């Protein structure tokens, strides 16, 4: 039973790229179903004894403690939100993927063998090709299958980001652990995903890929410098998030701003609006996910009239800024500390092992600085799966120190 449940769990994880093509918010569902399968595998192995030991070990790590404290602070912040029920629902969506990831890691049954990595590489390639064909044919496949009525290309930015995020750990592991055929497959994954990213409408995916490539190449020349620069850029962005909009508005040359795509120009205005809102309640914030309905918050009515019109957009299109708006300086400080601790854990690794994880961190952070809502479950689920792939030992090796 343990082996069968683990096989089902691995299959569900490998299906996530295709699931995200079919339904662009489906990653949390597949991750949770996989967690259920791995839970059965862990319980069937020894009644869950070792699973509890692994879970305690994982939860006692400094990084996990910081993230748990943030989660509790986010939960507490819903008590002063003007929409507490909405905040609680989003908190559940935010917490479900990490909880599923904890179950998968603690089960002891998740072991990404080379066969699993090859299957996942194939599903990443298939999902990328399907999306590419959709863009070229104006969604002919979706129309034929009647998957949904929404067929605007920007609607599939989530689906386009998924192959990019999952391709990196797949390439990382195939290149390090596989032979010549696996390295060729890793190269094919990289090529196909790169083409997809630049064909898609997702400017965030393009930015993330470029940042990853630049960071990886620079890391080869000066690993410690790039790791330190990544940490400094991350900390500065988290600390100064409320000021990014006003700074760009004041310092960006008019000629350059006039050349921006209208959606990018509006994004600067959105950052200005939510930055001003964040400074009205800088310490505690407005409550978890309050940004979604900030136009209904009485305090936010103090924002200057021209900017107030942009409050109904739903979120600031910047995770650091949304962290400030929803959870204030306290929440931003906790997440900043967690990010720095994660980067600090990469420092002792040999440069060959630390290079791609560092570039991946930089690219993912670049994406969330300019893109979607901070707490969306599909994004947290994809990052959770990427973390599992980066950290899990190969094959049947059960190295809990690596898992933590």
């Amino acid at each position: 039973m343990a082996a069968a449940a683990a096989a089902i769990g691995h299959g569900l994880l490998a299906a996530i790229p295709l699931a995200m093509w079919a339904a662009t918010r489906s990653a949390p569902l597949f991750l949770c179903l996989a967690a259920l399968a791995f839970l059965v595998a862990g319980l069937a192995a020894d009644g869950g004894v070792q699973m509890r030991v692994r879970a305690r070990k994982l939860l006692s790590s400094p990084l996990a403690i910081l993230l748990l404290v943030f989660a509790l602070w986010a939960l507490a912040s819903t008590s002063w939100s003007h929409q507490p029920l909405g905040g609680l629902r989003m908190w559940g969506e935010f917490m479900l993927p990490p909880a599923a990831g904890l179950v998968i890691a603690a089960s002891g049954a998740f072991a990404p063998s080379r066969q699993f990595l090859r299957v996942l590489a194939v599903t990443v390639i298939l999902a990328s090709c399907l999306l590419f064909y959709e863009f070229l044919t104006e969604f002919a496949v979706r129309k034929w299958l009647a998957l949904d009525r929404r067929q605007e290309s920007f609607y599939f930015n989530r689906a386009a980001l998924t192959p990019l995020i999952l391709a990196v750990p797949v390439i990382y592991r195939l290149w390090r652990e596989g032979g010549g055929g696996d390295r060729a497959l890793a190269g094919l994954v990289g090529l196909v995903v790169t083409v997809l990213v630049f064909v898609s409408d997702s400017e965030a995916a393009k930015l993330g890929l470029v940042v990853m490539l630049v960071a990886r190449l620079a890391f080869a020349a000066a690993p410690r410098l790039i790791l330190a620069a990544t940490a400094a850029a991350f900390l500065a962005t988290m600390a100064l998030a409320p000021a990014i909009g006003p700074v760009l508005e004041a310092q960006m040359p008019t000629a350059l701003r006039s050349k921006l795509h209208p959606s990018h120009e509006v994004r600067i205005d959105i950052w200005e609006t939510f930055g001003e809102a964040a400074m009205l309640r800088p310490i505690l914030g407005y409550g978890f996910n309050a940004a979604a309905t900030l136009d209904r918050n009485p305090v936010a009515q103090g924002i200057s009239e021209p900017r107030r019109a942009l409050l109904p957009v739903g979120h600031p299109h910047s995770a650091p800024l949304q962290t400030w708006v929803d959870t204030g300086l306290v929440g931003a400080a906790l997440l900043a500390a967690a990010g720095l601790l994660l980067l600090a854990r990469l420092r002792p690794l040999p440069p060959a092992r630390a290079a791609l994880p560092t570039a991946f961190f930089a690219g993912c952070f670049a994406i969330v600085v300019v893109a979607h809502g901070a707490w969306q479950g599909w994004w947290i689920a994809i990052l959770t799966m990427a973390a599992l792939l980066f950290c899990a030992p190969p094959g049947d090796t059960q190295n809990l120190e690596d898992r933590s």
Side-chain angles (χ1 to χ4, degrees):
M1 181 181 291
I8 292 171
H10 283 92
L12 287 165
L13 291 178
I16 284 180
L18 290 171
M20 284 293 286
W21 162 74
T24 61
R25 293 183 181 272
S26 59
L29 173 62
F30 276 73
L31 187 69
C32 289
L33 289 175
L36 183 60
F38 283 112
L39 176 62
V40 172
L43 292 175
D46 60 0
V49 175
Q50 289 301 314
M51 191 172 180
R52 289 191 292 271
V53 172
R54 295 187 191 99
R56 283 195 295 269
K57 178 71 174 178
L58 290 166
L59 289 172
S60 64
S61 69
L63 180 57
I65 290 172
L66 272 173
L67 293 175
L68 281 172
V69 171
F70 173 79
L72 292 174
W73 172 257
L75 179 62
S77 73
T78 61
S79 63
W80 58 78
S81 170
H82 65 287
Q83 294 282 348
L85 291 181
L88 287 172
R89 284 194 296 269
M90 183 54 74
W91 189 84
E93 180 178 335
F94 168 69
M95 288 300 298
L96 203 56
L102 174 65
V103 171
I104 293 170
S107 71
F110 177 62
S113 63
R114 275 184 284 176
Q115 181 179 0
F116 168 76
L117 292 170
R118 291 165 189 157
V119 172
L120 182 55
V122 170
T123 60
V124 167
I125 291 171
L126 286 176
S128 300
C129 291
L130 282 168
L131 283 165
F132 182 77
Y133 184 73
E134 296 274 47
F135 296 145
L136 289 182
T137 61
E138 297 184 353
F139 309 101
V141 177
R142 303 191 79 78
K143 292 175 183 176
W144 180 58
L145 295 175
L147 285 175
D148 55 47
R149 296 179 180 179
R150 300 191 65 176
Q151 291 159 0
E152 302 91 347
S153 57
F154 70 85
Y155 180 64
F156 297 94
N157 286 351
R158 293 186 289 267
L161 277 166
T162 300
L164 171 62
I165 299 304
L166 296 183
V168 179
V170 168
I171 292 170
Y172 175 76
R173 298 201 68 141
L174 283 175
W175 197 268
R176 289 182 59 238
E177 300 167 14
D182 291 322
R183 291 191 169 192
L185 180 59
L188 180 60
V189 170
L191 176 63
V192 171
V193 170
T194 299
V195 172
L196 168 68
V197 166
F198 284 102
V199 167
S200 75
D201 274 359
S202 177
E203 300 300 323
K206 296 180 180 70
L207 174 64
L209 177 57
V210 169
V211 169
M212 288 181 198
L213 292 174
V214 171
R216 176 60 184 89
L217 292 173
F219 195 96
R224 289 192 177 275
L225 176 61
I226 297 305
L227 189 56
T230 301
F234 167 74
L235 181 59
T237 305
M238 289 296 298
L240 302 175
I244 290 177
V247 168
L248 288 175
E249 175 67 25
Q251 302 299 325
M252 182 177 289
T254 304
L256 177 59
R257 178 154 184 166
S258 65
K259 295 179 181 179
L260 290 176
H261 189 278
S263 63
H264 299 162
E265 188 173 5
V266 170
R267 190 155 301 187
I268 295 175
D269 296 330
I270 293 172
W271 292 344
E272 282 190 278
T273 297
F274 281 89
E276 185 175 331
M279 289 299 94
L280 293 177
R281 297 196 67 173
I283 306 300
L284 302 181
Y286 293 84
F288 195 73
N289 202 45
T293 55
L294 203 58
D295 56 313
R296 306 175 202 169
N297 189 291
V299 177
Q301 299 308 308
I303 296 175
S304 57
E305 185 62 39
R307 293 175 180 167
R308 199 184 309 164
L310 288 171
L311 284 177
V313 298
H315 60 79
H317 292 79
S318 172
L321 181 51
Q322 188 169 355
T323 302
W324 273 86
V325 171
D326 288 350
T327 62
L329 172 62
V330 176
L334 288 169
L335 284 188
L340 291 176
L341 182 58
L342 178 59
L343 288 171
R345 295 193 57 175
L346 297 177
R347 186 178 176 84
L349 296 178
R353 286 191 60 192
L356 203 53
T358 302
F360 181 74
F361 180 97
C364 289
F365 186 64
I367 289 169
V368 298
V369 167
V370 301
H372 47 74
W375 322 124
Q376 293 178 2
W378 70 270
W379 174 252
I380 307 299
I382 296 303
L383 289 183
T384 299
M385 184 172 171
L388 288 169
L389 290 169
F390 269 119
C391 297
D396 297 324
T397 305
Q398 302 300 322
N399 189 334
L400 186 56
E401 187 63 29
D402 285 345
R403 290 177 183 273
S404 64

